Amino acid sequence: MSISNVAYFYGTVEEAYLDKIKIQLEEEKVAYFPLSQMCSIELDNFAHLLVSGTLKEIKEVLALALRYDKSVGIVPMPKQKELMKTFELSSRLDESISQALIRSEEKIDLLFSNDEIVLQEVVVGDAPPLDQFDSTLKGKTYLDRVKMFWRTMKKVKDLKHTQMKITDAKENEIKLSAVGVVGVEYNNATFAAKLISSQLNSNDGKLSIVILSPTSIMQYMGYLFKSLVSHLTPKTLPRSVGYMRSAKISIETKIPLDVLVDSTLQQQTPVELEVKEEALALSVGEKFWEKQNKDKSTKDSIKIDHLPSDEESANYLSNAIPLFSHASQEQYTTLFANLREESRLSSTFMILLILATMIATFGLFINSSSVIIGAMLLAPLMQPIVSLSMGVLRQDSALQLNGAKTIFLGVLAVLFTAAIIALFTPIERLTTEMAGRLSPTILDLFVAIASGIAAAYAKSNEKILGSLAGVAIAVALVPPIAVAGIGLGWADWHMFSTAFLLFITNLVGIVLAAAFTFVVLGFSPLHIARKGIMIWMVIVAVVAIPLYSSFSKMQEDIQIQKTLSNLAFNVGEHDVKLTHIELLHRPKIDEIRCEVISTGILSKEEKSRLREAILQSIHKKAEVIVTFRYKL
């Protein structure tokens, strides 16, 4: 309920605005004092305090109310939107005065930074956009938000990681590397508070800090885009953000960092953040209490396991945030040891490869896809290819040489084994499984690239190593070499060259994609990886030329089949319709084979008209071979 005997302290307030306040309070028993007289006022004569002014001036009155255990209400000025948002104060003067006059029955916690009151947020270092209020997006169009996103991204080059030692109320010491920290006590609509809104309570005796620690520009860009452009609050903490909750948190940094209290630079690290529980009876809006976490937990909380904490990462990130994440020395050592071992030629590798070739070749002859899939699973050829990609990435000549040698000898073994089987097998028939590997196109390159990404990702993560079997099936390395070997056994150069082109396509696609994936996963700085990746991009581009030509030819064939499939006309006395169109590309002239359904036997002249109609429809020269069927 409203009370009388109120002291109103005003600081930097326009005289016209103060006159409006006095008009609103003319029925109340209020004494007005400029802030300069605050220390000379006998507060025992007043039951409630009101204040208007800058944040610094408001905090001076709050400190006075805290010292004398007085309730206090804030009448915000029109420009203090963030203050209104934090405590849910009305923007209308009459309503904000009514709110300020109502003494709060419930006290709230007060956050202090090095013994100074924090009303909104305390920022250590740089932490965009965590230290911004979401009001910056209010009324912004999608284009405006995109511009804000790029303006913030331009500042990434200035963000530097600093080693920090954070100590909580229980004297737990945590060392990590971060670019900035935002401390909040209330759900004040900053991006930091929005991330942890479910954890915030204004009278639980706990403060919260949100730690910004991106390990790559790509990682930071993902969170930034979601926050500024899509304007969505992540349901879980982003990978670039950590969180701590305690009654007291001390932050020490290797290099002194600026500390902004309520957007004003006033301190430097080390800084001690501390909460005084239920310290102040502050008049707030009803929505302020509605925003509080209903589960008033007294437990401390720490979620920083995903943040960089080792010395190596801290030193690496202190120079600049890289485009992609940097793998730790432990991750790199483990992966590199495995790849080095798998790059070496061994008897086990050759035995498995030859057995896989035998199974694949017999599967091709009997036209069994299930047998061929079994061969794909058994073949270990993916291992040296992934090793080669890491050698390319790291410019490691030993790893490149071992990987290339193992691949070369393995391919020779597959070709020789398949050619021998083809020579001694008394069947020389092109099965559909063989034919399916004789027309590589640019789409096969895309499959190889996707498989290379999957292979590198699975290899870098022991938890999903079992997925390599699926990659082996998807990319099918041994079957096309086996088909090429069969072509050698049959002395069919076209069969050998087209099937071997498919293998080369798979090889170069996997090496390039796996190398690039290892860069993204942080296993090599970009300046080291650039040379190898550029060389293999050129190789892929060269291989893509015949693949694109085949793809264009395939598109043309599909268009011809579609055109002829709809062709039905009269050639004289009889109506005809074309079905089962098949195109065969021969060295001298292409062949078009199809079935013709006719109402009767065609004369020589009608057959000539049919041939001309077909060739005019496809606009090219070809040999036309038809099979006639007749309607009865």
Side-chain angles (χ1 to χ4, degrees):
M1 57 182 289
S2 297
I3 60 172
S4 57
N5 206 17
V6 174
Y8 197 119
F9 293 97
Y10 56 92
T12 309
V13 180
E14 292 182 3
E15 190 173 336
Y17 188 69
L18 185 60
D19 289 340
K20 290 180 181 179
I21 292 172
K22 288 180 178 180
I23 292 171
Q24 293 290 331
L25 288 169
E26 60 184 358
E27 295 182 3
E28 305 289 341
K29 188 178 180 183
V30 179
Y32 297 90
F33 305 100
L35 211 62
S36 57
Q37 298 179 12
M38 183 178 67
C39 296
S40 60
I41 305 301
E42 184 59 55
L43 289 184
D44 291 338
N45 298 326
F46 301 98
H48 189 59
L49 310 181
L50 296 182
V51 58
S52 292
T54 64
L55 283 183
K56 185 176 183 296
E57 292 166 339
I58 290 172
K59 287 191 282 188
E60 289 178 18
V61 175
L62 296 185
L64 187 71
L66 186 64
R67 194 181 315 138
Y68 288 93
D69 194 24
K70 297 291 184 180
S71 60
V72 61
I74 300 172
V75 181
M77 291 186 290
K79 292 182 179 180
Q80 293 175 323
K81 303 296 183 183
E82 285 78 18
L83 182 66
M84 297 177 194
K85 190 70 175 176
T86 299
F87 297 107
E88 294 297 337
L89 305 176
S90 176
S91 57
R92 289 183 53 182
L93 182 60
D94 56 341
E95 290 181 359
S96 66
I97 289 175
S98 298
Q99 287 176 331
L101 284 172
I102 300 174
R103 173 186 276 179
S104 176
E105 299 297 328
E106 193 170 1
K107 291 186 175 182
I108 63 171
D109 300 340
L110 268 185
L111 172 60
F112 290 82
S113 172
N114 288 349
D115 298 323
E116 180 177 344
I117 292 175
V118 179
L119 276 184
Q120 292 168 180
E121 85 290 331
V122 54
V123 182
V124 180
D126 294 314
L130 293 174
D131 55 344
Q132 298 176 24
F133 285 80
D134 67 354
S135 57
T136 56
L137 299 180
K138 189 175 182 180
K140 300 289 186 183
T141 64
Y142 185 82
L143 183 60
D144 292 334
R145 297 202 298 270
V146 170
K147 289 178 180 177
M148 287 180 63
F149 166 77
W150 285 115
R151 280 199 300 269
T152 308
M153 280 303 303
K154 287 179 181 177
K155 299 176 184 177
V156 172
K157 64 180 184 295
D158 299 323
L159 296 180
K160 297 288 191 299
H161 271 253
T162 304
Q163 288 177 273
M164 297 184 178
K165 184 175 79 172
I166 302 177
T167 309
D168 65 12
K170 297 178 181 178
E171 300 299 324
N172 295 315
E173 286 189 2
I174 297 161
K175 293 182 179 179
L176 51 81
S177 175
V179 298
V181 174
V182 178
V184 292
E185 170 58 27
Y186 315 118
N187 194 342
N188 58 8
T190 57
F191 284 102
K194 287 176 68 177
L195 281 177
I196 56 170
S197 59
S198 61
Q199 305 294 322
L200 294 174
N201 189 296
S202 64
N203 53 10
D204 62 356
K206 305 291 182 183
L207 71 101
S208 297
I209 62 169
V210 180
I211 306 161
L212 181 63
S213 181
T215 55
S216 72
I217 292 175
M218 297 301 293
Q219 186 188 78
Y220 180 62
M221 185 183 293
Y223 165 58
L224 202 62
F225 185 87
K226 187 174 286 187
S227 299
L228 296 183
V229 180
S230 65
H231 201 187
L232 294 175
T233 302
K235 294 182 180 178
T236 57
L237 277 182
R239 291 290 300 171
S240 57
V241 174
Y243 163 69
M244 284 184 65
R245 178 174 180 267
S246 186
K248 181 179 177 182
I249 294 177
S250 299
I251 302 174
E252 299 176 40
T253 57
K254 188 175 182 179
I255 300 171
L257 295 179
D258 290 337
V259 178
L260 280 72
V261 177
D262 295 326
S263 303
T264 304
L265 177 60
Q266 295 180 340
Q267 304 170 2
Q268 275 198 328
T269 53
V271 63
E272 184 174 281
L273 306 178
E274 186 175 7
V275 165
K276 290 188 178 179
E277 187 174 1
E278 297 185 359
L280 183 67
L282 181 67
S283 302
V284 295
E286 291 182 9
K287 288 184 179 179
F288 176 84
W289 299 111
E290 293 174 5
K291 290 192 301 183
Q292 307 308 313
N293 176 26
K294 301 300 184 285
D295 180 19
K296 189 176 176 180
S297 174
T298 58
K299 293 181 180 179
D300 286 5
S301 181
I302 301 176
K303 294 180 181 178
I304 59 164
D305 292 342
H306 55 289
L307 301 186
S309 57
D310 58 287
E311 189 79 19
E312 181 201 359
S313 295
N315 292 334
Y316 179 78
L317 293 167
S318 63
N319 297 318
I321 299 176
L323 181 61
F324 301 112
S325 298
H326 177 64
S328 68
Q329 185 64 38
E330 182 182 355
Q331 289 174 307
Y332 176 74
T333 302
T334 302
L335 178 61
F336 202 82
N338 291 337
L339 294 178
R340 191 177 291 280
E341 182 65 30
E342 292 173 354
S343 70
R344 297 190 180 99
L345 188 65
S346 66
S347 58
T348 303
F349 174 84
M350 291 303 293
I351 290 169
L352 284 176
L353 190 59
I354 290 171
L355 289 173
T357 303
M358 294 171 68
I359 294 170
T361 306
F362 290 130
L364 289 164
F365 272 106
I366 65 176
N367 206 35
S368 172
S369 58
S370 58
V371 173
I372 296 170
I373 288 172
M376 297 176 197
L377 288 170
L378 185 62
L381 199 54
M382 179 68 81
Q383 295 175 356
I385 293 177
V386 176
S387 298
L388 174 62
S389 71
M390 180 61 87
V392 167
L393 182 71
R394 299 287 303 189
Q395 295 295 289
D396 188 312
S397 56
L399 192 56
Q400 288 186 73
L401 184 61
N402 286 338
K405 183 177 73 173
T406 302
I407 295 166
F408 178 73
L409 293 177
V411 169
L412 284 182
V414 175
L415 288 173
F416 180 77
T417 303
I420 293 297
I421 293 173
L423 278 172
F424 288 95
T425 301
I427 301 172
E428 194 169 331
R429 176 176 62 90
L430 188 69
T431 64
T432 54
E433 287 292 341
M434 294 179 190
R437 290 163 174 86
L438 298 180
S439 303
T441 69
I442 200 76
L443 298 178
D444 293 289
L445 180 60
F446 294 153
V447 171
I449 289 172
S451 299
I453 294 170
Y457 185 69
K459 203 70 183 171
S460 66
N461 191 335
E462 293 182 357
K463 295 179 182 179
I464 57 172
L465 268 177
S467 302
L468 277 176
V471 176
I473 294 173
V475 78
L477 289 165
V478 167
I481 314 176
V483 173
I486 294 170
L488 285 178
W490 290 351
D492 187 333
W493 170 249
H494 179 264
M495 184 176 183
F496 168 79
S497 61
T498 52
F500 199 72
L501 177 60
L502 177 57
F503 165 70
I504 294 297
T505 300
N506 290 337
L507 173 65
V508 299
I510 291 171
V511 171
L512 177 63
F516 185 76
T517 303
F518 282 135
V519 172
V520 173
L521 295 174
F523 288 96
S524 175
L526 199 56
H527 68 276
I528 294 177
R530 187 181 293 115
K531 181 181 178 181
I533 288 178
M534 290 301 294
I535 290 172
W536 279 85
M537 283 181 71
V538 172
I539 295 172
V540 168
V542 171
V543 172
I545 294 171
L547 296 177
Y548 185 76
S549 176
S550 298
F551 181 69
S552 299
K553 193 175 291 183
M554 183 180 73
Q555 284 182 301
E556 182 184 355
D557 292 350
I558 292 171
Q559 185 60 43
I560 289 172
Q561 288 175 325
K562 186 177 179 181
T563 301
L564 295 181
S565 295
N566 298 324
L567 195 61
F569 57 95
N570 185 278
V571 291
E573 296 181 4
H574 301 97
D575 295 326
V576 295
K577 183 177 180 182
L578 275 58
T579 62
H580 298 85
I581 293 94
E582 183 182 1
L583 284 89
L584 299 175
H585 296 282
R586 301 302 187 194
K588 293 183 178 180
I589 190 168
D590 294 343
E591 289 183 7
I592 296 176
R593 297 188 178 188
C594 60
E595 291 185 0
V596 177
I597 301 174
S598 172
T599 54
I601 298 174
L602 303 187
S603 65
K604 185 177 181 180
E605 186 179 348
E606 287 177 320
K607 290 177 182 178
S608 179
R609 289 176 187 166
L610 173 61
R611 180 180 180 277
E612 289 303 319
I614 291 173
L615 294 179
Q616 285 180 9
S617 298
I618 63 174
H619 306 293
K620 67 180 293 184
K621 291 183 178 181
E623 194 74 39
V624 180
I625 301 173
V626 302
T627 301
F628 286 99
R629 295 178 182 272
Y630 301 102
K631 288 183 179 180
L632 298 179

